[in-house]
Amino acid sequence: MRTLGPVGTLEEQARERREKLDKKHGIASNLKKVARVMWWAGFVGVITIIPAALWYTGKADKWIAIAEEESVRLSAELGMTVKNIEVSGREKTDTNALLAAIGQKPGTPIITFDVDAARERIEQLSWVRTATVERQLPDTLIVSIVERKPLALWQTQDRGHVLIDGDGEQLQNYELGDYLDLPVLVGDDAPQHAAEMLQTIQSIPDLYAKVTGAQRIGHRRWNIQLSNGMFIRLPEHDMDKAWQRLEMLDREHDLLERDILIVDLRLPDRTFVRLTPGAAEKRRNPPKKEGAV
């Protein structure tokens, strides 16, 4: 047989349930819901209606510009200005020209600095082959450059000399006396076609040490001049193979120590030589032995 609790207790429980329902559906609860809906509606209005109004009235660009100016001003107040410029890789590039190309003076806001534009300006300097520019917040610019390597002197039509690198680029701001040991190139198109030839003759250091110059022939090929006055005629194609053949001939026959004016390597299967005038004369008219009639 189930026993029921006191009546008073059941009435109290019923009253508590009614009070909870009143709170759940009462005026106060409804007001809170209304307030929450109004808050979200206002927020949506701020992020949608106000920008739309600015755009409609044509003032959006103005306010964006003001916001940008304000952000720059605040960044400067927080110390985000150029205080240091760190440069690596510079040896021959003029310091003042490099700073002018960087184009940013200490004390100006760092967040407005255009690293791509600065890199392009730096790479316009004659000694700079490549450059990278980075911001290191809060106050430092990092500039790294790779300079060009001078490989030859180009003799111009007025017989002046211009320093060039392996790409044929003309360099500036140098002392000519520092580079007189480099090969001298002759020919109006010599700088534009020097890269392959220079790479070829440098591939054999012992031969390259004897090279004093190179002449561009017929806009097609090269004659190489050695320090002993000998000329090496290279072919238009396969220069590297001809240059290797010269090394082999010299190693086996001491070719470069002989009285030879020209070594012609233009044909791949044979080598022609021309003696110096003195050696040719001796061959035509060998000296008579003592006692001979």
Side-chain angles (χ1 to χ4, degrees):
M1 183 174 180
R2 185 177 181 183
T3 302
L4 298 176
V7 177
T9 301
L10 293 175
E11 291 178 352
E12 290 176 358
Q13 292 177 355
R15 185 173 57 255
E16 290 176 357
R17 285 196 299 270
R18 286 195 298 271
E19 290 176 355
K20 289 181 179 179
L21 290 174
D22 291 338
K23 289 180 179 180
K24 184 176 181 180
H25 300 287
I27 297 176
S29 178
N30 291 334
L31 289 176
K32 289 181 179 180
K33 290 181 179 180
V34 172
R36 189 179 300 113
V37 171
M38 293 180 65
W39 186 92
W40 279 106
F43 176 77
V44 172
V46 168
I47 63 174
T48 58
I49 298 175
I50 292 179
L54 290 174
W55 174 83
Y56 182 78
T57 58
K59 296 182 178 180
D61 291 341
K62 176 181 178 181
W63 283 103
I64 291 173
I66 293 174
E68 289 177 349
E69 292 177 1
E70 187 66 13
S71 65
V72 171
R73 185 186 64 80
L74 291 175
S75 70
E77 291 183 357
L78 293 173
M80 298 177 67
T81 60
V82 178
K83 296 179 182 177
N84 305 297
I85 300 177
E86 298 181 3
V87 178
S88 62
R90 189 204 70 81
E91 292 185 9
K92 299 296 183 179
T93 304
D94 181 72
T95 302
N96 293 330
L98 179 58
L99 289 175
I102 293 172
Q104 192 81 343
K105 298 180 179 179
T108 55
I110 194 171
I111 63 174
T112 62
F113 181 70
D114 189 335
V115 294
D116 292 329
R119 175 185 54 77
E120 293 177 359
R121 290 193 300 268
I122 294 171
E123 290 181 346
Q124 294 298 315
L125 301 176
S126 70
W127 278 92
V128 177
R129 184 180 180 85
T130 60
T132 58
V133 183
E134 299 175 341
R135 282 186 295 253
Q136 189 177 78
L137 300 179
D139 58 9
T140 302
L141 297 179
I142 306 295
V143 180
S144 300
I145 63 176
V146 176
E147 292 189 330
R148 298 184 180 276
K149 296 181 179 180
L151 292 181
L153 292 169
W154 175 46
Q155 181 175 297
T156 59
Q157 293 183 351
D158 60 0
R159 302 191 68 80
H161 292 85
V162 177
L163 188 65
I164 65 172
D165 74 342
D167 296 329
E169 292 293 330
Q170 300 183 24
L171 306 178
Q172 302 173 0
N173 302 321
Y174 58 86
E175 293 292 335
L176 184 62
D178 295 337
Y179 302 100
L180 294 179
D181 59 335
L182 294 178
V184 177
L185 308 184
V186 178
D188 57 357
D189 66 338
Q192 292 80 9
H193 299 275
E196 182 183 3
M197 181 272 295
L198 290 170
Q199 184 177 4
T200 296
I201 65 176
Q202 287 179 329
S203 65
I204 304 177
D206 289 343
L207 289 183
Y208 178 68
K210 297 179 173 65
V211 174
T212 59
Q215 183 179 8
R216 182 78 171 160
I217 305 298
H219 295 213
R220 297 182 300 105
R221 64 174 196 85
W222 294 91
N223 284 349
I224 307 300
Q225 184 174 5
L226 305 184
S227 56
N228 61 1
M230 188 181 298
F231 290 90
I232 312 298
R233 292 178 176 176
L234 294 178
E236 181 178 359
H237 305 291
D238 296 327
M239 283 191 299
D240 54 341
K241 295 180 180 178
W243 196 244
Q244 292 167 8
R245 180 150 52 100
L246 178 65
E247 181 195 28
M248 182 190 68
L249 291 171
D250 185 49
R251 185 173 61 250
E252 296 178 355
H253 306 288
D254 290 328
L255 187 67
L256 302 185
E257 302 301 325
R258 297 176 180 270
D259 291 331
I260 295 175
L261 180 62
I262 296 173
V263 178
D264 193 336
L265 301 171
R266 287 178 292 175
L267 296 180
D269 57 347
R270 66 193 64 186
T271 301
F272 298 96
V273 298
R274 180 185 298 177
L275 299 176
T276 62
E281 179 64 25
K282 287 182 181 181
R283 175 164 289 195
R284 288 192 298 267
N285 300 298
K288 295 181 179 180
K289 296 181 180 179
E290 294 184 5
V293 178

